[in-house]
Amino acid sequence: MNQLQYLFVFLTLFSYISCEFNKDDVLVFTVATEETDGFQRYKISAEEYGIEPIILGFGEEWKGGDILNKPAGGWKINLLKKALKDYKDQNKIALFTDSYDVIFLNDLEKIVEKFKTFDAKVVFGAEVFAWPDPALAEKYPEVKEGKRFLNSGMYIGYVEQLLQLLERETLEDTDDDQRFFTKAYLDEEFRKDIGLKLDHKSEIFMNLNGAENEAQIIDVQTKEAEKYKLKNVVTHTEPMILHGNGPSKRTSLNYIGNYLPNAWNSKDGCIYCKIGQFELSQIKEEELPLVLLALFIEFPTPFLEEQLLKVASLKYPKNRIHIFVHNSVKYHIDHVSTFVDAYTPEYLSVKEAKPDDGITEWAARDLALDHCVSTKCDYLFVVDSVAHLDNPHTLKLLIEQNRTVVAPIMVRHNKVWSNFWGALTTDGFYSRSNDYMDIVHNEKR
Ligand SMILES: *[C@@H]1O[C@H](CO)[C@@H](O)[C@H](O)[C@H]1NC(C)=O
C-alpha cells in the first residue's frame, strides 16, 4: 500500500469509530396548517442550518381545538404518531417542535450531540409554569437548577421510545397535548422505563414564557460583521432551539427573531427583509396586483390639493387601483370633487364618503377594509391627508417588499416619540426595547 492508501484506510476506520453524524438518521417534524409570518421565520431559520423539516398538517384545517384560549392541541400528537409509524423499526432520532413560534439557533449535529449527553431516550423542553394543570406542580420532581415543568412544544428522542410515549394513551384531537405528556412524565415508572427527561437548563430547548429575562442576545465580533448568539444568562447555556410559548411570542420572541439566527447585522442591515422581495417590472401591466387606495381626510389639512395631485401622480396604472375617499371636512369638499371628477374615468372605481354622510373616522376605516374585500383587492394602501407621497414610486416599492404589512416609521425631531413600540409588556402595554433608541435615531434600520 502506498501512503495514500494507508491514509484512506485510516480515515475509513476513523469515521466508523467516531460514529460520524449522519443527517439522514435524524427526522425533524413540525405542524403548520398555513403560511404565516411565524412559519416563514421558522423555515428561514431551518434553512440557515441546513435543516429540512417534515411539515405535518399543511393545508389542512386545524383540528387541534381552541389553542389560543384553552388547553388543546392533541391533534399535533396524533399527526406525529401516524407519521412516526413509517419509521418504526429504524433506529432513528426524531425531533419535534412547534413552528409558528419556534426558531432554530443551531444545527442538527450539535443538537443531537447535546441530546446524547442527557443519557435519555426522550428529552422534552422545560418551562417555568405547570400548565395546563398548576395543581400538578407539586407532583413534579424538584430541580436544583433551571426550569421544573414540562413543555410540549419541543422534544427529541429515539423513534422507538417516542412511539411508546405517543401510544401510551389515546387522545382526541382537541385534548391537550401538554397534559398528555405531563401525565406520562409524572408516571415515575413509565418515565424511568422509557428514559424520559427534561432539559431543565435549556441546553437544547429554551421556552421563553416567564423566562424572558434569562435570554440575552450576545454580540460576537467577527472579521466581517458581528454575529449574534443567544445565551441563557441564568443557566449559562446557549440554547439551540427557541420557543416563544404563550405571550412571550409578542414580548420577546419577535424581538429576538429580528436578530437571530442571522436576521440583521450592522454591515448588511436587515437581511431577512430582503427575502421574498421581487420586481413588479417582471409582471404584465394588466396582471399587476389590485390595490384599494384609501384616502382619509379627517381634519382641515393645508396643501390638500397638492397632496391629492401626488396621489394621482403615483407611477402605477390607475386601471389597477380602486379609490376610496373619506372626507369629513366641509372645507375640503371642492378639493375632493376636483380630484374625483378629474380621475374617476381613469381609476377602476371611485367611492366617496362626504362630510354630510356623517360617517365617523373609525367606521370609515372599517368601511375601507370591507370595500377592499368586496373588490377582491390584493393590497390596501391607506394614505391620510397629512401624508405626502413625495416619491411617485412609493406604491410600487411598498408592494415589492412582499410583506403582510408595511408601515412608515415616524419620529419627532429631538424627541423620544415615535409611532411604533419596540416591545410589549405581558399585558400588551408599551415597553421600551433595547434597540428602541437606535431605531428612533435611524442608527438601526
Ligand atoms: C413573496 O415571498 C414569499 C415568501 O418568501 C415567496 O414564497 C413568494 O414567492 C414571494 N412573492 C413573489 C411574487 O416573489
Side-chain angles (χ1 to χ4, degrees), residues 145-168:
E145 196 187 353
K147 304 178 187 69
R148 186 172 171 187
F149 308 110
L150 177 145
N151 179 279
S152 59
M154 309 188 282
Y155 47 95
I156 186 169
Y158 290 93
V159 170
E160 188 189 329
Q161 282 78 15
L162 276 175
L163 275 171
Q164 274 174 268
L165 171 62
L166 297 171
E167 287 168 349
R168 182 174 170 269

Side-chain angles (χ1 to χ4, degrees), residues 94-230:
L95 167 68
F96 176 89
T97 72
D98 290 347
S99 64
Y100 299 149
D101 50 8
V102 165
I103 304 175
F104 287 104
L105 301 176
N106 215 324
D107 61 32
L108 275 185
E109 183 168 1
K110 289 273 162 38
I111 291 168
V112 167
E113 200 179 288
K114 185 61 81 178
F115 165 59
K116 289 186 172 163
T117 67
F118 274 81
D119 190 23
K121 298 293 186 195
V122 177
V123 173
F124 274 75
E127 68 160 288
V128 175
F129 302 109
W131 166 263
D133 305 303
L136 293 178
E138 60 200 52
K139 298 226 162 76
Y140 268 87
E142 281 184 44
V143 292
K144 284 198 209 76
E145 196 187 353
K147 304 178 187 69
R148 186 172 171 187
F149 308 110
L150 177 145
N151 179 279
S152 59
M154 309 188 282
Y155 47 95
I156 186 169
Y158 290 93
V159 170
E160 188 189 329
Q161 282 78 15
L162 276 175
L163 275 171
Q164 274 174 268
L165 171 62
L166 297 171
E167 287 168 349
R168 182 174 170 269
E169 279 184 283
T170 55
L171 87 167
E172 299 292 324
D173 286 342
T174 52
D175 286 346
D176 188 66
D177 59 324
Q178 189 147 306
R179 176 176 290 142
F180 175 91
F181 288 127
T182 299
K183 276 161 71 186
Y185 182 73
L186 295 180
D187 176 344
E188 194 178 342
E189 202 183 313
F190 181 81
R191 176 172 77 230
K192 296 205 162 134
D193 234 31
I194 72 158
L196 176 56
K197 289 188 180 170
L198 305 189
D199 177 9
H200 299 291
K201 293 200 285 183
S202 307
E203 293 178 81
I204 302 174
F205 305 119
M206 173 80 193
N207 291 298
L208 276 170
N209 196 19
E212 290 89 346
N213 295 338
E214 293 180 18
Q216 240 172 55
I217 298 175
I218 308 285
D219 163 347
V220 191
Q221 292 298 328
T222 67
K223 270 213 193 91
E224 300 284 299
E226 74 276 22
K227 278 205 82 101
Y228 293 97
K229 278 209 259 184
L230 192 79

Side-chain angles (χ1 to χ4, degrees), residues 37-38 41-42 44-45 48 102-105 208 217 226-230 242 248-266 268-275 403 420-424 432-436 439 444-445:
D37 285 346
R41 172 178 60 195
Y42 163 87
I44 292 168
S45 75
E48 191 76 37
V102 165
I103 304 175
F104 287 104
L105 301 176
L208 276 170
I217 298 175
E226 74 276 22
K227 278 205 82 101
Y228 293 97
K229 278 209 259 184
L230 192 79
L242 183 65
S248 70
K249 291 176 224 338
R250 278 178 281 122
T251 58
S252 184
L253 182 78
N254 288 344
Y255 172 76
I256 295 172
N258 285 339
Y259 294 90
L260 286 164
N262 186 25
W264 186 93
N265 68 49
S266 55
D268 306 306
C270 177
I271 297 159
Y272 285 4
C273 299
K274 292 169 195 134
I275 296 177
R403 300 292 112 163
F420 81 102
W421 294 358
L424 292 178
R432 183 177 292 182
S433 62
N434 284 332
D435 53 10
Y436 179 78
I439 297 171
K444 271 190 183 169
R445 47 188 303 167

